[in-house]
Amino acid sequence: MSKIDDGVAKRQAEDERRKQDSRRDNEEKSTARRAAILGLPYVDTRSFENDTPLVENVDDMMAIEDMHKNLAVPFKRGGGEQPFRFFVTSATPRSVILNLGQKYKDLGEHVEFALISESAYRVWMLRYDPPEEIIYDDIKIANTGDSETLNQVSQTLNTVAVDRVFDFLIEQADMLGASDIHIENLRDAIRVRLRVDGMLHVIAELQRDRYRILLGELSSRANLSLAAAKPQSGHIHKDIITDGHKHTLNIRIETVPTLFGQDAVMRLFNFNESLLNLDLLGITKRERDILTEVIKHPRGLVMMVGPTGSGKSTTLYSILNALNTNDRKIITLEDPIEYSIGGISQVPIKTTDGAQFADALRSVLRLDPDVVMVGEIRDSDTARTAIQASITGHLVLSSFHANSASAAFARMIDLIGQNPIFASSVRMVIAQRLVRRLTDHKTPRPATEAEKKYITNLFKNTTPTALESYSVDFNNITLYDPVVSDDAPFGFAGRLCIMEQLIVDEEIQKFLRGDVTEVNAEAIEKAAREDHMLTLEQKGVLAALAGHTTLSEIARVI
């Protein structure tokens, strides 16, 4: 969450507290007037209702069920010269007060009654009779055809208390490491799916009343309308406490009206600044050294490409975190801000309201930043402005939508044209994907003849320098299969970053300068491979050969 959003949330919370305080003030004034009419002393318990010790062994004064029934609570145990004291409300039956008075009179004791508000009474009752904490079964992900687990999770979600079901679903999704929660309207049910390690899994089918509760809570917290006829966007943040440790989820919400009702997708961003670290990306030492060499320069453009959910934002934020020192001014332009990082000026850009990255970029360049991150280059104006900034003494980072690094470079040429001035501005293009990682229980097996042929053909024109960081024997190929267990129902746990790095050297610059007549992704990739680049597909297969993932997973994602 950005500092701006955080400030808005704090102001909203403060406004709600003021409203609650005002309502309580009015109720206390009304109770005081009522006490005068009834001839009872009035007590405002707000200053001590949460910390005054309760009466011990209270049943002989009044049983818990009678407190609920009579809307009255014991306050002090008496004896001798000290009176027994009770708090009553305007709804306490008069007969209860008379009967208690007579009871203590018959015992030779004194008893006193004071009138309190019903809000005060509820506070005291929550202390005398706190609600039991119900522990619900954790959500499990069902394998294909496992109707028993699906029914069990559905039953759990359909029975969770109304005021807990929304938070429970988010907490369980976070526990399972889900990146998205999908709430979808079918003809006869509400389907809930979680995206875990990049794969969607059905976890439950809910009753319609649960759907209304979930969507009502979602719309209230994210300030969305349930009756909207157009897609909407919003976000909320939620603190999660696990084993005494707290972390904050930033949740982006998208809703769209469908044939049977509003569908919603909640994207969960687990903000933990310590995880935004280049050393945690799982890339090779050579890749890390190349990346470090590029970003340490004071100027140039570095682009991250890949589809939604490929980890582009995490890599960009990790680069920013590595650059975040006291002697650098860093500004980001984001739509929306996914993580808030201390020491960096982050500017939200609402492109849905007509704002443009190019306009904002021109404005922030006047603030003399050393590093600028542009959330996404979408048009030629933003592309030209970003490149202009990169040749005038700024390091510019940005994301870009393309299938590969070479395709991104070709598309950039389409946007800005072939221009010698810009040839040295683009320093690096990184394409990225996330694939599921095998657990340690994986089983090795020799590759089939078809697999061997595919792998050897894939690497037949690869330079030895490109493979020097890998230990591969193409004559004796071993692959690995997943093993299902209770902890990993699909044989995978977590995801692995597959990264393709296109270094813009002299040969690649020729395409931007106009020295090469054939400008397309294939020609650019051929030149990059001759300069020791490994493609996404090659990097994925190398990960499979190392036992980190499977060939089928590479085929699915890359």
Side-chain angles (χ1 to χ4, degrees):
M1 168 168 284
S2 70
K3 294 177 182 177
I4 294 174
D5 294 330
D6 193 34
V8 170
K10 287 180 179 177
R11 286 195 295 274
Q12 290 174 341
E14 187 61 35
D15 288 343
E16 182 59 31
R17 279 194 294 270
R18 280 196 292 268
K19 290 177 183 177
Q20 291 175 355
D21 290 343
S22 177
R23 288 193 291 266
R24 182 72 185 266
D25 284 339
N26 292 334
E27 185 180 1
E28 295 299 334
K29 290 174 183 177
S30 175
T31 303
R33 291 192 294 269
R34 183 67 176 166
I37 295 171
L38 295 175
L40 289 171
Y42 157 73
V43 176
D44 183 345
T45 69
R46 281 179 288 185
S47 63
F48 59 87
E49 61 192 14
N50 289 308
D51 50 20
T52 298
L54 299 177
V55 175
E56 296 181 357
N57 303 317
V58 72
D59 281 353
D60 64 332
M61 286 185 68
M62 183 178 286
I64 296 294
E65 56 268 26
D66 289 333
M67 295 184 206
H68 285 293
K69 178 182 176 182
N70 300 329
L71 277 75
V73 293
F75 176 57
K76 290 286 186 183
R77 183 182 297 279
E81 298 297 322
Q82 298 299 319
F84 288 79
R85 294 178 178 173
F86 289 85
F87 287 149
V88 297
T89 68
S90 57
T92 303
R94 184 71 176 173
S95 59
V96 170
I97 297 174
L98 292 174
N99 290 339
L100 281 171
Q102 187 61 49
K103 169 188 171 182
Y104 283 99
K105 183 179 179 181
D106 292 343
L107 294 172
E109 302 286 359
H110 302 289
V111 63
E112 294 179 353
F113 300 96
L115 194 71
I116 61 172
S117 66
E118 291 194 18
S119 290
Y121 162 77
R122 287 192 291 271
V123 173
W124 287 97
M125 276 311 306
L126 281 173
R127 294 184 63 199
Y128 272 115
D129 189 26
E132 289 185 19
E133 182 181 0
I134 301 174
I135 306 299
Y136 299 102
D137 293 335
D138 286 336
I139 286 176
K140 296 179 181 177
I141 296 177
N143 283 303
T144 303
D146 184 0
S147 59
E148 182 179 343
T149 298
L150 184 65
N151 291 335
Q152 179 184 344
V153 175
S154 299
Q155 183 178 2
T156 297
L157 283 174
N158 281 320
T159 55
V160 173
V162 169
D163 60 344
R164 281 281 297 132
V165 64
F166 183 81
D167 289 327
F168 177 77
L169 180 58
I170 293 175
E171 290 162 4
Q172 290 290 304
D174 178 64
M175 181 194 71
L176 290 169
S179 59
D180 310 340
I181 303 172
H182 295 247
I183 303 173
E184 303 161 323
N185 285 266
L186 307 180
R187 180 182 297 276
D188 300 317
I190 305 300
R191 183 172 65 179
V192 178
R193 295 195 287 175
L194 300 182
R195 189 180 296 278
V196 179
D197 294 337
M199 294 284 286
L200 273 175
H201 303 280
V202 179
I203 61 161
E205 292 187 352
L206 301 184
Q207 300 165 359
R208 287 281 169 182
D209 65 329
R210 297 278 108 173
Y211 164 77
R212 287 190 289 269
I213 293 166
L214 284 171
L215 266 291
E217 194 72 21
L218 185 149
S219 64
S220 173
R221 298 193 193 190
N223 196 26
L224 302 177
S225 170
L226 288 177
K230 295 180 180 180
Q232 301 174 91
S233 299
H235 74 273
I236 61 177
H237 75 287
K238 177 175 172 55
D239 291 334
I240 305 287
I241 298 177
T242 305
D243 297 330
H245 299 285
K246 184 175 80 170
H247 65 271
T248 300
L249 283 182
N250 191 12
I251 306 171
R252 283 172 54 182
I253 297 165
E254 303 291 337
T255 66
V256 61
T258 68
L259 180 61
F260 301 111
Q262 291 273 358
D263 278 13
V265 175
M266 293 182 277
R267 296 195 65 198
L268 312 182
F269 296 90
N270 182 352
F271 177 65
N272 186 337
E273 197 167 325
S274 66
L275 297 179
L276 302 178
N277 189 321
L278 291 175
D279 293 327
L280 300 179
L281 293 180
I283 58 180
T284 66
K285 183 180 183 302
R286 180 173 182 270
E287 290 171 327
R288 170 64 197 275
D289 290 344
I290 291 172
L291 181 56
T292 302
E293 179 68 22
V294 169
I295 65 175
K296 79 177 185 181
H297 284 275
R299 64 176 182 84
L301 174 65
V302 177
M303 293 192 299
M304 285 290 309
V305 303
T308 300
S310 61
K312 299 190 301 295
S313 295
T314 299
T315 299
L316 281 172
Y317 278 112
S318 297
I319 293 173
L320 287 176
N321 224 15
L323 295 170
N324 188 12
T325 57
N326 289 332
D327 59 345
R328 284 193 181 96
K329 172 76 170 180
I330 302 177
I331 300 178
T332 71
L333 307 173
E334 304 175 64
D335 178 23
I337 295 172
E338 295 178 356
Y339 299 108
S340 175
I341 303 178
I344 293 178
S345 300
Q346 297 176 262
V347 181
I349 306 295
K350 294 188 179 296
T351 55
T352 53
D353 296 338
Q356 298 294 326
F357 280 114
D359 297 333
L361 179 56
R362 282 187 282 267
S363 297
V364 301
L365 289 176
R366 302 188 191 106
L367 302 176
D368 190 28
D370 297 291
V371 182
V372 179
M373 186 185 87
V374 181
E376 184 181 346
I377 293 177
R378 300 174 181 172
D379 53 72
S380 60
D381 191 15
T382 304
R384 289 177 180 276
T385 306
I387 288 179
Q388 189 67 45
S390 71
I391 62 177
T392 55
H394 306 87
L395 177 61
V396 180
L397 311 174
S398 183
S399 67
F400 196 59
H401 278 285
N403 287 328
S404 66
S406 54
F409 199 80
R411 186 175 163 224
M412 178 62 70
I413 294 173
D414 289 338
L415 284 177
I416 65 173
Q418 290 180 302
N419 191 323
I421 298 175
F422 295 151
S424 62
S425 61
V426 185
R427 298 188 57 81
M428 186 180 201
V429 184
I430 301 171
Q432 184 170 302
R433 298 290 191 277
L434 295 176
V435 298
R436 292 184 295 171
R437 184 190 293 270
L438 286 168
T439 68
D440 293 337
H441 301 297
K442 62 201 171 192
T443 56
R445 64 171 176 83
T448 65
E449 288 303 318
E451 290 168 336
K452 288 178 183 178
K453 184 177 180 181
Y454 159 67
I455 293 170
T456 52
N457 284 337
L458 183 66
F459 288 94
K460 70 180 177 181
N461 294 323
T462 305
T463 66
T465 301
L467 292 172
E468 66 183 9
S469 296
Y470 301 90
S471 180
V472 183
D473 181 2
F474 290 110
N475 297 315
N476 184 21
I477 298 175
T478 299
L479 297 172
Y480 297 82
D481 290 329
V483 174
V484 173
S485 65
D486 290 340
D487 294 331
F490 301 95
F492 296 90
R495 286 192 286 178
L496 176 72
C497 174
I498 305 296
M499 184 180 288
E500 171 185 286
Q501 294 179 331
L502 189 154
I503 309 300
V504 183
D505 60 3
E506 179 65 26
E507 290 301 312
I508 301 297
Q509 287 177 11
K510 291 178 181 179
F511 291 94
L512 195 53
R513 285 202 302 261
D515 298 346
V516 179
T517 55
E518 184 184 14
V519 179
N520 55 52
E522 290 77 14
I524 294 170
E525 181 178 299
K526 183 175 183 295
R529 291 185 63 182
E530 289 173 355
D531 192 36
H532 319 305
M533 185 189 84
L534 290 170
T535 66
L536 274 172
E537 186 178 8
Q538 289 175 322
K539 292 295 297 297
V541 171
L542 287 169
L545 294 176
H548 300 316
T549 188
T550 65
L551 283 185
S552 59
E553 180 69 4
I554 299 304
R556 181 184 71 84
V557 176
I558 299 176

